[in-house]
Amino acid sequence: MGKLSAAITAVGAYVPEFVMTNKMLEDLVDTNDEWITTRTGIKERRILKEEGAGTSYMAIKAAEDLIKKRGIDPKEIDLVLVGTATPDTLVASTAAFVASEIGATNAFAFDLLAACSSFLFGMSTAAGFIESGKYKKVLLIGADKMSSIIDYKDRTTCIIFGDGAGAALFEPNEEGLGMQDEYLRSDGNGRAYLSMNGGGSIMPATEESVKNKQHYIFQDGKTVFKFAVSNMADAAAEIMERNSLTHDDIAWLVPHQANKRIIDATANRMGLDHDRVMMNIQKYGNTTSATLPLLLNDYEKHLKKGDNLVFAAFGGGFTWGSIYLKWAYNSK
């Protein structure tokens, strides 16, 4: 028997039907399509409009897509993880509700909150459970309804974010495929530059906090951009160096979709041609926890067994890092 590793064996996704274009945003804030496209690479984003539907709605859809494609019984799933910055509620676990709704009645479940790094940190968490030998199927979902915490009169944030969900199934592998290495970091001083101040234990909801729009996300764009460019690129470079990888060894960079300029900087630091960089920011914007699994779903047909993938992300907190993974299957 070979060494046990955690491999992705299936992916799934869901994005809402409603498309918010840059042109639509021109009617809401002082901006235009050219400005948004030039500075972010975003052309449109999806917005969840269904009444009463939250993050769990999209997470369930993504999980069901994966389950159907993989052809598994939900009762075989041992653990459901939901990475999200926008849980349905602050007390009841979104992951627990998702697990029940998809029929994963033998699984335990919990949420993981690391902003835009949630799925990346979730990959490490899922791998730990698999590599322990106690769990055979871990379902990791990244899902966010960012439109629920965006002020559509604030052009620094409303042009960037969208809604969506993606899912990946982790299973044991003895062929040397799956998770190879990780480099994960955080810096709590970053919450001064990217956060949502209202609604937590420091500032519970009041009439004043709502009036002052403190339940919407706040971002110091220039500072966050500077930290994201350097830390995402540094983390990816660290993973390459630690594993003696050259740019020729890497099949794909799987980068968080926050800004095309950040993605380009990371690829350039790695010496990668841009035809080996996964990108869908133009379609979805920044879906926070969902960006990485949405990329895997969109590019699944291009992936081959044994491909070397480098994941990189940066998020509020600050949180950031990189993961090196060998793809485990050929798409049908």
Side-chain angles (χ1 to χ4, degrees), residues 267-297:
N268 291 337
R269 178 74 178 275
M270 297 169 68
L272 278 185
D273 294 333
H274 290 265
D275 60 359
R276 286 188 285 157
V277 178
M278 293 187 186
M279 194 176 304
N280 58 17
I281 190 171
Q282 69 279 6
K283 296 191 298 181
Y284 307 134
N286 183 352
T287 55
T288 308
S289 307
T291 62
L292 299 182
L294 282 175
L295 284 172
L296 292 179
N297 187 76

Short mmCIF file of all heavy atoms in Angstrom, two decimals, residues 267-297:
data_model
loop_
_atom_site.label_atom_id
_atom_site.label_comp_id
_atom_site.label_asym_id
_atom_site.label_seq_id
_atom_site.Cartn_x
_atom_site.Cartn_y
_atom_site.Cartn_z
N ALA A 267 0.89 34.85 -11.90
CA ALA A 267 1.35 34.03 -13.03
C ALA A 267 2.75 34.47 -13.48
O ALA A 267 3.61 33.62 -13.76
CB ALA A 267 0.36 34.12 -14.19
N ASN A 268 2.97 35.76 -13.55
CA ASN A 268 4.28 36.28 -13.96
C ASN A 268 5.37 35.88 -12.99
O ASN A 268 6.49 35.54 -13.40
CB ASN A 268 4.22 37.80 -14.10
CG ASN A 268 3.35 38.26 -15.26
OD1 ASN A 268 3.13 37.50 -16.21
ND2 ASN A 268 2.86 39.48 -15.21
N ARG A 269 5.06 35.93 -11.70
CA ARG A 269 6.04 35.54 -10.68
C ARG A 269 6.41 34.06 -10.83
O ARG A 269 7.56 33.67 -10.57
CB ARG A 269 5.45 35.80 -9.30
CG ARG A 269 6.35 35.38 -8.14
CD ARG A 269 7.53 36.30 -7.93
NE ARG A 269 8.32 35.88 -6.79
CZ ARG A 269 8.07 36.20 -5.53
NH1 ARG A 269 7.03 36.99 -5.24
NH2 ARG A 269 8.84 35.77 -4.56
N MET A 270 5.45 33.25 -11.26
CA MET A 270 5.68 31.81 -11.44
C MET A 270 6.31 31.49 -12.79
O MET A 270 6.68 30.35 -13.04
CB MET A 270 4.35 31.07 -11.29
CG MET A 270 3.71 31.20 -9.91
SD MET A 270 2.01 30.56 -9.88
CE MET A 270 2.32 28.80 -10.10
N GLY A 271 6.36 32.49 -13.67
CA GLY A 271 6.90 32.26 -15.01
C GLY A 271 5.97 31.48 -15.90
O GLY A 271 6.40 30.81 -16.84
N LEU A 272 4.66 31.57 -15.63
CA LEU A 272 3.66 30.80 -16.38
C LEU A 272 3.09 31.58 -17.55
O LEU A 272 2.76 32.76 -17.41
CB LEU A 272 2.50 30.39 -15.46
CG LEU A 272 2.64 29.18 -14.56
CD1 LEU A 272 1.31 28.93 -13.87
CD2 LEU A 272 3.07 27.94 -15.34
N ASP A 273 2.95 30.91 -18.69
CA ASP A 273 2.20 31.48 -19.81
C ASP A 273 0.74 31.59 -19.39
O ASP A 273 0.22 30.75 -18.65
CB ASP A 273 2.32 30.60 -21.05
CG ASP A 273 3.73 30.55 -21.59
OD1 ASP A 273 4.48 31.53 -21.37
OD2 ASP A 273 4.09 29.53 -22.22
N HIS A 274 0.06 32.60 -19.90
CA HIS A 274 -1.31 32.84 -19.45
C HIS A 274 -2.32 31.83 -19.99
O HIS A 274 -3.45 31.79 -19.50
CB HIS A 274 -1.71 34.28 -19.78
CG HIS A 274 -0.97 35.27 -18.93
ND1 HIS A 274 -1.49 35.79 -17.77
CD2 HIS A 274 0.27 35.82 -19.04
CE1 HIS A 274 -0.62 36.62 -17.22
NE2 HIS A 274 0.46 36.65 -17.97
N ASP A 275 -1.89 31.00 -20.95
CA ASP A 275 -2.80 29.94 -21.40
C ASP A 275 -2.80 28.76 -20.43
O ASP A 275 -3.51 27.78 -20.63
CB ASP A 275 -2.45 29.47 -22.81
CG ASP A 275 -1.04 28.92 -22.93
OD1 ASP A 275 -0.30 28.91 -21.93
OD2 ASP A 275 -0.68 28.49 -24.05
N ARG A 276 -2.03 28.86 -19.34
CA ARG A 276 -2.05 27.84 -18.30
C ARG A 276 -2.56 28.42 -16.97
O ARG A 276 -2.28 27.89 -15.91
CB ARG A 276 -0.65 27.24 -18.11
CG ARG A 276 -0.25 26.28 -19.23
CD ARG A 276 1.04 25.57 -18.90
NE ARG A 276 2.20 26.45 -19.06
CZ ARG A 276 3.37 26.26 -18.46
NH1 ARG A 276 3.53 25.27 -17.61
NH2 ARG A 276 4.37 27.10 -18.68
N VAL A 277 -3.30 29.50 -17.09
CA VAL A 277 -3.89 30.15 -15.92
C VAL A 277 -5.41 30.07 -16.03
O VAL A 277 -6.00 30.58 -16.98
CB VAL A 277 -3.45 31.63 -15.82
CG1 VAL A 277 -4.12 32.30 -14.62
CG2 VAL A 277 -1.94 31.73 -15.74
N MET A 278 -6.05 29.42 -15.06
CA MET A 278 -7.51 29.34 -15.07
C MET A 278 -8.08 30.71 -14.75
O MET A 278 -7.64 31.38 -13.82
CB MET A 278 -7.99 28.33 -14.03
CG MET A 278 -7.63 26.89 -14.34
SD MET A 278 -8.44 25.77 -13.16
CE MET A 278 -7.70 24.22 -13.64
N MET A 279 -9.08 31.11 -15.53
CA MET A 279 -9.68 32.42 -15.30
C MET A 279 -11.13 32.44 -15.77
O MET A 279 -11.44 32.04 -16.88
CB MET A 279 -8.88 33.51 -16.04
CG MET A 279 -9.23 34.92 -15.58
SD MET A 279 -8.20 36.20 -16.36
CE MET A 279 -6.56 35.66 -15.95
N ASN A 280 -12.01 32.89 -14.88
CA ASN A 280 -13.41 33.10 -15.24
C ASN A 280 -13.96 34.36 -14.57
O ASN A 280 -15.18 34.54 -14.47
CB ASN A 280 -14.29 31.89 -14.91
CG ASN A 280 -14.24 31.49 -13.44
OD1 ASN A 280 -13.81 32.28 -12.58
ND2 ASN A 280 -14.67 30.28 -13.13
N ILE A 281 -13.05 35.21 -14.11
CA ILE A 281 -13.45 36.43 -13.42
C ILE A 281 -14.34 37.31 -14.30
O ILE A 281 -15.22 38.02 -13.81
CB ILE A 281 -12.21 37.22 -12.94
CG1 ILE A 281 -12.64 38.36 -12.01
CG2 ILE A 281 -11.38 37.74 -14.11
CD1 ILE A 281 -11.47 39.05 -11.33
N GLN A 282 -14.13 37.23 -15.62
CA GLN A 282 -14.93 38.05 -16.53
C GLN A 282 -16.41 37.66 -16.48
O GLN A 282 -17.28 38.49 -16.72
CB GLN A 282 -14.40 37.92 -17.97
CG GLN A 282 -14.61 36.58 -18.62
CD GLN A 282 -13.59 35.52 -18.22
OE1 GLN A 282 -12.76 35.75 -17.35
NE2 GLN A 282 -13.66 34.36 -18.86
N LYS A 283 -16.71 36.41 -16.11
CA LYS A 283 -18.10 35.92 -16.08
C LYS A 283 -18.77 36.05 -14.72
O LYS A 283 -19.97 36.28 -14.63
CB LYS A 283 -18.14 34.44 -16.49
CG LYS A 283 -17.71 34.16 -17.91
CD LYS A 283 -18.05 32.72 -18.30
CE LYS A 283 -17.33 31.70 -17.45
NZ LYS A 283 -17.66 30.30 -17.85
N TYR A 284 -17.98 35.86 -13.66
CA TYR A 284 -18.58 35.74 -12.33
C TYR A 284 -18.13 36.80 -11.33
O TYR A 284 -18.72 36.93 -10.26
CB TYR A 284 -18.26 34.37 -11.72
CG TYR A 284 -18.62 33.20 -12.59
CD1 TYR A 284 -17.73 32.14 -12.77
CD2 TYR A 284 -19.86 33.12 -13.23
CE1 TYR A 284 -18.05 31.05 -13.55
CE2 TYR A 284 -20.19 32.04 -14.02
CZ TYR A 284 -19.28 31.00 -14.18
OH TYR A 284 -19.60 29.92 -14.96
N GLY A 285 -17.08 37.57 -11.64
CA GLY A 285 -16.52 38.47 -10.64
C GLY A 285 -15.90 37.68 -9.51
O GLY A 285 -15.51 36.52 -9.67
N ASN A 286 -15.82 38.30 -8.35
CA ASN A 286 -15.26 37.66 -7.16
C ASN A 286 -16.38 37.02 -6.36
O ASN A 286 -17.15 37.72 -5.70
CB ASN A 286 -14.51 38.69 -6.32
CG ASN A 286 -13.84 38.09 -5.10
OD1 ASN A 286 -14.03 36.92 -4.77
ND2 ASN A 286 -13.05 38.89 -4.40
N THR A 287 -16.46 35.71 -6.38
CA THR A 287 -17.49 34.97 -5.63
C THR A 287 -16.94 34.49 -4.29
O THR A 287 -17.51 33.58 -3.67
CB THR A 287 -18.02 33.78 -6.45
OG1 THR A 287 -16.92 32.96 -6.85
CG2 THR A 287 -18.78 34.26 -7.68
N THR A 288 -15.85 35.06 -3.85
CA THR A 288 -15.25 34.82 -2.53
C THR A 288 -14.89 33.34 -2.34
O THR A 288 -13.99 32.86 -2.98
CB THR A 288 -16.15 35.39 -1.42
OG1 THR A 288 -16.44 36.76 -1.75
CG2 THR A 288 -15.49 35.38 -0.07
N SER A 289 -15.62 32.62 -1.50
CA SER A 289 -15.28 31.21 -1.22
C SER A 289 -15.50 30.29 -2.42
O SER A 289 -14.99 29.16 -2.43
CB SER A 289 -16.11 30.70 -0.04
OG SER A 289 -15.99 31.53 1.07
N ALA A 290 -16.24 30.75 -3.40
CA ALA A 290 -16.61 29.88 -4.52
C ALA A 290 -15.67 29.96 -5.72
O ALA A 290 -15.79 29.17 -6.66
CB ALA A 290 -18.03 30.21 -4.99
N THR A 291 -14.71 30.90 -5.72
CA THR A 291 -13.91 31.10 -6.94
C THR A 291 -13.12 29.87 -7.35
O THR A 291 -13.12 29.49 -8.52
CB THR A 291 -12.95 32.30 -6.80
OG1 THR A 291 -12.01 32.04 -5.75
CG2 THR A 291 -13.69 33.58 -6.53
N LEU A 292 -12.43 29.23 -6.42
CA LEU A 292 -11.56 28.10 -6.77
C LEU A 292 -12.36 26.89 -7.28
O LEU A 292 -12.01 26.33 -8.33
CB LEU A 292 -10.68 27.71 -5.59
CG LEU A 292 -9.71 28.79 -5.09
CD1 LEU A 292 -8.85 28.25 -3.94
CD2 LEU A 292 -8.83 29.32 -6.21
N PRO A 293 -13.43 26.46 -6.59
CA PRO A 293 -14.18 25.33 -7.14
C PRO A 293 -14.92 25.65 -8.44
O PRO A 293 -15.11 24.76 -9.28
CB PRO A 293 -15.16 24.96 -6.02
CG PRO A 293 -15.29 26.20 -5.21
CD PRO A 293 -13.94 26.86 -5.27
N LEU A 294 -15.33 26.91 -8.62
CA LEU A 294 -15.94 27.28 -9.90
C LEU A 294 -14.93 27.16 -11.04
O LEU A 294 -15.28 26.74 -12.15
CB LEU A 294 -16.50 28.70 -9.85
CG LEU A 294 -17.85 28.89 -9.12
CD1 LEU A 294 -18.21 30.36 -9.04
CD2 LEU A 294 -18.96 28.10 -9.82
N LEU A 295 -13.68 27.52 -10.77
CA LEU A 295 -12.63 27.34 -11.78
C LEU A 295 -12.46 25.86 -12.12
O LEU A 295 -12.37 25.49 -13.30
CB LEU A 295 -11.30 27.90 -11.26
CG LEU A 295 -11.13 29.41 -11.26
CD1 LEU A 295 -9.84 29.78 -10.55
CD2 LEU A 295 -11.13 29.97 -12.68
N LEU A 296 -12.38 25.01 -11.10
CA LEU A 296 -12.21 23.57 -11.34
C LEU A 296 -13.35 23.02 -12.17
O LEU A 296 -13.14 22.19 -13.08
CB LEU A 296 -12.12 22.82 -10.01
CG LEU A 296 -10.87 23.07 -9.16
CD1 LEU A 296 -10.96 22.26 -7.87
CD2 LEU A 296 -9.60 22.72 -9.92
N ASN A 297 -14.56 23.47 -11.88
CA ASN A 297 -15.71 22.99 -12.65
C ASN A 297 -15.66 23.46 -14.09
O ASN A 297 -15.91 22.69 -15.03
CB ASN A 297 -17.00 23.46 -11.99
CG ASN A 297 -18.23 22.86 -12.62
OD1 ASN A 297 -18.56 21.70 -12.41
ND2 ASN A 297 -18.94 23.64 -13.42
#
